[in-house]
Amino acid sequence: MAIDPICGMQVDESEGLRLDRPGMTYFFCSKACLNKFEDAERAQAETPTARLEPEKKEVIPVVGMHCATCVATIEHALKISPGVHDAQVNLATEQAVVRYNPAKTGPEQLRRSIEKAGYKTVAQDKGEGLEEARKARAADILSIRVRFWAAFLLALPLVFLAIAAAYRIPLSEFVVRNNPLIQFVIATLVMFCGLPFFMQGLVAMLRTRRANMYTLVSVGVGTAYLYSVFMAFALWKTGVSPQMGGLYFETSGVLVAFVLLGQYLESSARGRTSDAIKKLIGLRPDTALVIRQGAEIAIPVEEVAIGDIVVVKPGERIAADGIVVDGFSSIDEAMVTGESFPVDKSPGKEVICGTVNKTGTFKFEAIRVGRDTMLAQIIAMVQDALGKKAPIQEVADTIAAVFVPTILVSSLAVFWVWLLLGEDFMFALNTLISMLIIACPCALGLATPTAVIVGTGIAAQNGILIKNPASLELAYRVTTVVFDKTGTLTRGRPVLTDYIGYHGKTKDEVLRIAASVEKNSEHPLAQAVVEGAGQRSIRTADVKDFIALPGKGVMARLDNDLIMIGNRTFLVKKNIEVAPQASGDAAALEAGGKTVMFVVANNKTVGLIAVGDTLKDFAVEAAAALRRMGKRVIMITGDNARTAETIAHFIGVDQVFSEVLPQEKEDKIKQLQAQGAKVAMVGDGINDAPALAQADIGIAIGSGTDIAIESGDIVLIKDDLRDVVTAIDLSRYAMKKIKQNLFWAFIYNLIGIPIAAGALYSFTGFLLNPMVAGAAMAFSSVSVVSNSLSMRRYRRPFAR
């Protein structure tokens, strides 16, 4: 046997797909795994240095980003750094994810590259990065708020002095004579309030040779300010009243205030987009009560070790994943799994870190701690997903990359065009400043990531892990949903479904006889009968002379009666006649896909026992909901056609693929894709992994195997098939919001920039005031973030 290097499955060398390489032979379970291996080889050949070098990943919190060009600037600064293989920056999460060669660079050098570009970073030493990042962002928001109020209060007298000069409002002789100088002093103080974005816009551009949103603002505000400084000293020196020359001090001051207001509102709103993720992070308790040397002691949760016995009292959060060893309780698992009702726990049941104990006190043995707990893995998976970009974001990033340089050139061109058309210098300068100020790549940069982070957080709260933004974008586009049967639509293990009595025997008596005999057998069907009797409070008796006949049945003596339990073949071999009624009942049960066992006492058929793999809760509801959404629902199974059709008819699927071998599931997915279908595959087992990888969207059941979960693009934590519907519906909703965001971001710039350039002046005489342009710019990004935040009102399809 060989191991598939892609999915980890064991492969029979005589049946697997063979691939010979110099000094090595590989075997693959499926064509999809072979293709993935060959794709990886080609990628390595294209970028040999990056692939052959050692690689580490570093996540660096970044403070001070406000637009898509900020993202591009930081990514560029990192990618040109020695030893960096790749860098992705997420505006919504304010993080840079960097892959680098540790032999050539390290976290400190990476942070310095970001800081040279004009942004702040947060060190993540000793595992305190999340808290430090939170504090740094809070301090940044506080700083912006303080600077806004200072700029706003200083801008008020500037506006008043400008109005007084224009409309000759009576003022003291000193103020009238020194009006330009007073405005200069106040405006200069306002400029200091905006110093950070001047630094990011101009100084960073000189270092990285890349313009950003702050470059536009800095050039626009700086032009108004410097022009006004020149005019103010000229007017003050000559003693000419300000209204004769015109000043832009009030414009520059109000613009700084509006920019800071926009930053404050956007940063505050953007912080709320990750509320769901923050709630998940906050679920883990700080301390745990463990038993050490026979005594209960409270220790930091980081010190809990595997094998520790942890005591949990009512109202407390569970500190690790574990198995209950003593006590009974009900647990609220809503924040981790999305399960709305408390779940009863008793000895032998598993408990999850971060969930809340509602009633009784119990003890559990820790089996997974720290980063290995389900909660930690959920958080890591969500954060990893948020470090990636959705395909639709590439459109915005491509536009943002050329947006700022285009606006800089266009504004200068418009300035000179108006001068050549005969307008005066003040008119042309007004259009230049307005264009620079109103142009806003912020909304473009925030349109996709804010919706993705809110959508991913909502999904996590509902027990759905979306492993990358591309899956969130693509899920709603699927046209066909393929369900594996065993373990996905069904429970994957036999359970007692029917029992019937004949010849004066009641059904409970038949079950008692069968369970008494079968409890001596280790066969899965026998265990299903015994468990079914226990669940129905049927008490069993001891038997004698038990004999098991593999593939046929069992025999034993019970209360001096010879009992035989087995299939038709067994009865025929024993020359036992099956009554017509029993034969008919058995045929009906078998038609429903169930396994029937005849119960015989003293050579007379006294009953039937039927065992089957029952459907999971909500399987029928999920299939019906998907069909209402216009999706084609298919079931794939290795069962014979008759059994498969019976189950499929009961569930309500559109099509069945029966008698499919495990290695053929992937081929069925390919057939559907060849017909033009966008396919989502839902599975839970090792043999589903190739099909999950081949599908456009692989949806893995969290209760399934690790290989299936690894192959899935979306993981359902709960064993609830309705979450397939929720995942697709949430994808549709998130994409609707992203498209709305991008529409308004594009429309704002497409309409605002021409108006700022004076497009309406020739027809209506209207010329946009730069202060109005500043207000529009400030609120454009806020409107996009607010639209994304409205997603928090989302309700699952089955909760509406």
Side-chain angles (χ1 to χ4, degrees):
M1 297 293 284
I3 300 296
D4 187 320
I6 297 298
C7 70
M9 284 181 61
Q10 288 191 334
V11 182
D12 189 326
E13 294 181 4
S14 63
E15 298 179 358
L17 299 174
R18 178 178 176 136
L19 181 66
D20 291 313
R21 289 290 181 263
M24 181 68 70
T25 299
Y26 300 97
F27 292 91
F28 301 88
C29 67
S30 66
K31 186 67 175 175
C33 289
L34 174 61
N35 290 341
K36 280 191 174 183
F37 185 85
E38 291 178 332
D39 289 343
E41 282 188 320
R42 282 191 289 273
Q44 179 174 319
E46 291 168 3
T47 56
T49 303
R51 297 303 176 198
L52 295 177
E53 289 180 344
E55 184 174 89
K56 286 186 69 175
K57 184 177 83 169
E58 184 75 15
V59 179
I60 305 173
V62 182
V63 179
M65 294 189 293
H66 292 278
C67 71
T69 47
C70 296
V71 170
T73 298
I74 296 172
E75 286 184 350
H76 175 74
L78 287 167
K79 287 177 179 177
I80 63 174
S81 301
V84 173
H85 297 164
D86 185 43
Q88 285 201 333
V89 179
N90 190 301
L91 178 60
T93 58
E94 298 180 275
Q95 288 182 336
V97 180
V98 191
R99 299 183 186 279
Y100 64 96
N101 181 353
K104 293 183 178 180
T105 189
E108 283 301 319
Q109 292 91 327
L110 297 174
R111 280 195 285 270
R112 278 200 294 271
S113 296
I114 295 173
E115 288 163 1
K116 282 182 181 179
Y119 301 87
K120 298 176 185 177
T121 64
V122 180
Q124 299 197 86
D125 299 330
K126 300 178 183 179
E128 298 174 352
L130 287 172
E131 182 62 19
E132 291 301 317
R134 186 193 65 78
K135 289 179 180 178
R137 287 166 187 144
D140 184 57
I141 292 174
L142 178 61
S143 170
I144 295 171
R145 184 173 67 181
V146 170
R147 287 187 286 116
F148 159 68
W149 281 111
F152 175 74
L153 293 174
L154 288 168
L156 290 178
L158 279 178
V159 174
F160 174 74
L161 289 171
I163 293 173
Y167 293 97
R168 301 182 183 277
I169 297 175
L171 297 171
S172 69
E173 183 181 345
F174 174 81
V175 173
V176 172
R177 187 174 63 252
N178 295 288
N179 191 338
L181 187 59
I182 295 171
Q183 288 194 51
F184 162 72
V185 172
I186 297 175
T188 302
L189 292 175
V190 177
M191 294 303 108
F192 276 104
C193 295
L195 187 61
F197 64 70
F198 282 113
M199 296 290 289
Q200 285 182 314
L202 298 177
V203 178
M205 185 179 69
L206 296 176
R207 289 177 178 172
T208 63
R209 294 183 176 88
R210 292 181 71 89
N212 57 31
M213 182 200 81
Y214 296 113
T215 307
L216 296 179
V217 173
S218 299
V219 173
V221 173
T223 300
Y225 173 74
L226 292 176
Y227 170 79
S228 300
V229 170
F230 174 79
M231 291 300 299
F233 278 98
L235 293 169
W236 179 66
K237 187 175 181 179
T238 59
V240 178
S241 59
Q243 65 268 21
M244 294 183 65
L247 300 176
Y248 271 111
F249 279 130
E250 82 285 356
T251 298
S252 60
V254 170
L255 287 177
V256 169
F258 274 137
V259 171
L260 290 170
L261 175 62
Q263 281 187 5
Y264 173 68
L265 293 175
E266 175 229 307
S267 297
S268 300
R270 182 148 44 96
R272 293 198 297 274
T273 62
S274 58
D275 280 352
I277 311 302
K278 291 173 185 173
K279 287 178 182 177
L280 283 174
I281 294 171
L283 289 181
R284 193 182 72 163
D286 296 324
T287 61
L289 193 63
V290 301
I291 297 177
R292 297 273 175 89
Q293 298 178 345
E296 295 182 3
I297 60 170
I299 62 172
V301 72
E302 293 83 5
E303 296 179 12
V304 176
I306 293 175
D308 273 343
I309 301 300
V310 184
V311 180
V312 187
K313 297 180 179 179
E316 293 181 347
R317 290 194 180 276
I318 295 169
D321 292 350
I323 302 292
V324 177
V325 295
D326 183 41
F328 299 85
S329 185
S330 62
I331 307 294
D332 181 358
E333 299 181 346
M335 279 300 295
V336 177
T337 67
E339 178 61 55
S340 56
F341 296 104
V343 180
D344 292 335
K345 301 292 180 181
S346 57
K349 297 287 187 179
E350 188 169 341
V351 292
I352 304 171
C353 177
T355 55
V356 181
N357 181 25
K358 300 293 287 184
T359 52
T361 298
F362 66 93
K363 299 174 184 177
F364 73 90
E365 179 183 351
I367 58 173
R368 288 185 295 272
V369 299
R371 294 182 179 180
D372 295 327
T373 63
M374 178 188 286
L375 177 63
Q377 290 176 15
I378 290 171
I379 293 169
M381 196 177 292
V382 171
Q383 289 182 327
D384 182 61
L386 294 177
K388 301 171 184 175
K389 293 183 180 180
I392 196 171
Q393 191 173 340
E394 299 297 330
V395 177
D397 287 350
T398 301
I399 294 171
V402 298
F403 184 85
V404 173
T406 301
I407 293 300
L408 283 170
V409 173
S410 300
S411 61
L412 287 171
V414 168
F415 173 80
W416 287 108
V417 166
W418 281 117
L419 288 180
L420 292 174
L421 290 175
E423 296 295 340
D424 60 32
F425 179 81
M426 293 296 294
F427 182 97
L429 184 63
N430 190 96
T431 59
L432 171 71
I433 296 170
S434 294
M435 279 190 69
L436 291 171
I437 295 300
I438 202 168
C440 184
C442 298
L444 285 174
L446 290 167
T448 300
T450 51
V452 167
I453 193 172
V454 176
T456 306
I458 292 170
Q461 282 186 311
N462 285 283
I464 302 168
L465 297 184
I466 297 173
K467 293 169 70 174
N468 57 73
S471 301
L472 183 66
E473 177 179 335
L474 295 174
Y476 86 104
R477 295 181 182 174
V478 301
T479 58
T480 303
V481 182
V482 179
F483 287 94
D484 174 55
K485 182 187 80 76
T486 304
T488 302
L489 287 172
T490 65
R491 299 188 183 279
R493 58 183 180 85
V495 295
L496 177 67
T497 59
D498 304 88
Y499 46 108
I500 306 170
Y502 306 110
H503 297 292
K505 294 288 186 183
T506 66
K507 59 188 297 186
D508 286 347
E509 287 176 327
V510 170
L511 182 55
R512 173 183 172 273
I513 293 170
S516 298
V517 176
E518 295 285 19
K519 72 180 182 181
N520 297 280
S521 172
E522 295 181 356
H523 195 281
L525 297 183
Q527 295 301 312
V529 173
V530 175
E531 287 179 11
Q535 292 167 358
R536 293 162 177 79
S537 301
I538 302 294
R539 301 185 67 176
T540 61
D542 293 331
V543 299
K544 298 177 182 178
D545 304 328
F546 175 82
I547 300 173
L549 303 171
K552 298 175 182 178
V554 294
M555 299 172 59
R557 287 197 174 274
L558 174 64
D559 299 332
N560 296 319
D561 292 328
L562 177 61
I563 306 299
M564 291 185 286
I565 303 174
N567 53 30
R568 288 179 187 270
T569 304
F570 180 50
L571 268 62
V572 169
K573 191 170 183 179
K574 293 294 183 180
N575 296 317
I576 297 172
E577 185 178 350
V578 180
Q581 183 180 357
S583 182
D585 289 340
L589 291 169
E590 287 170 341
K594 298 172 183 177
T595 299
V596 176
M597 295 171 282
F598 294 88
V599 181
V600 177
N602 300 323
N603 295 328
K604 184 183 295 184
T605 305
V606 296
L608 294 179
I609 299 288
V611 174
D613 185 4
T614 58
L615 290 177
K616 286 183 178 178
D617 295 336
F618 312 120
V620 176
E621 283 185 60
L626 288 169
R627 294 182 70 185
R628 286 196 298 271
M629 294 169 71
K631 312 299 181 186
R632 183 181 173 202
V633 182
I634 296 176
M635 185 181 81
I636 190 167
T637 178
D639 289 350
N640 63 69
R642 180 182 176 186
T643 301
E645 289 290 348
T646 301
I647 296 173
H649 177 73
F650 184 77
I651 295 173
V653 302
D654 297 295
Q655 187 177 352
V656 181
F657 293 144
S658 58
E659 300 179 22
V660 178
L661 296 175
Q663 59 268 31
E664 294 174 345
K665 292 181 180 179
E666 173 197 356
D667 295 331
K668 293 296 183 182
I669 301 298
K670 286 182 179 178
Q671 289 176 18
L672 292 169
Q673 291 171 327
Q675 296 167 9
K678 293 287 185 184
V679 182
M681 171 71 190
V682 187
D684 76 317
I686 291 176
N687 58 27
D688 295 326
L692 287 168
Q694 177 63 39
D696 297 281
I697 293 291
I699 302 177
I701 306 295
S703 60
T705 64
D706 290 340
I707 291 175
I709 292 171
E710 185 65 28
S711 301
D713 302 300
I714 297 174
V715 180
L716 310 182
I717 299 175
K718 300 195 304 295
D719 202 0
D720 187 339
L721 292 174
R722 293 178 301 177
D723 288 343
V724 174
V725 182
T726 301
I728 294 174
D729 185 67
L730 182 57
S731 167
R732 175 200 59 78
Y733 185 65
M735 287 307 301
K736 174 184 172 184
K737 289 295 182 181
I738 289 172
K739 289 175 180 178
Q740 287 175 355
N741 288 347
L742 288 172
F743 172 80
W744 289 115
F746 280 119
I747 286 297
Y748 163 79
N749 283 291
L750 287 173
I751 294 176
I753 292 172
I755 292 175
L760 299 179
Y761 182 75
S762 300
F763 308 102
T764 65
F766 174 78
L767 186 64
L768 188 68
N769 187 299
M771 288 189 284
V772 177
M777 185 271 289
F779 286 98
S780 63
S781 56
V782 176
S783 63
V784 166
V785 177
S786 298
N787 191 43
S788 294
L789 283 174
S790 69
M791 292 175 63
R792 296 188 297 179
R793 295 195 293 267
Y794 173 81
R795 291 176 62 83
R796 293 179 295 172
F798 296 97
R800 293 170 188 164

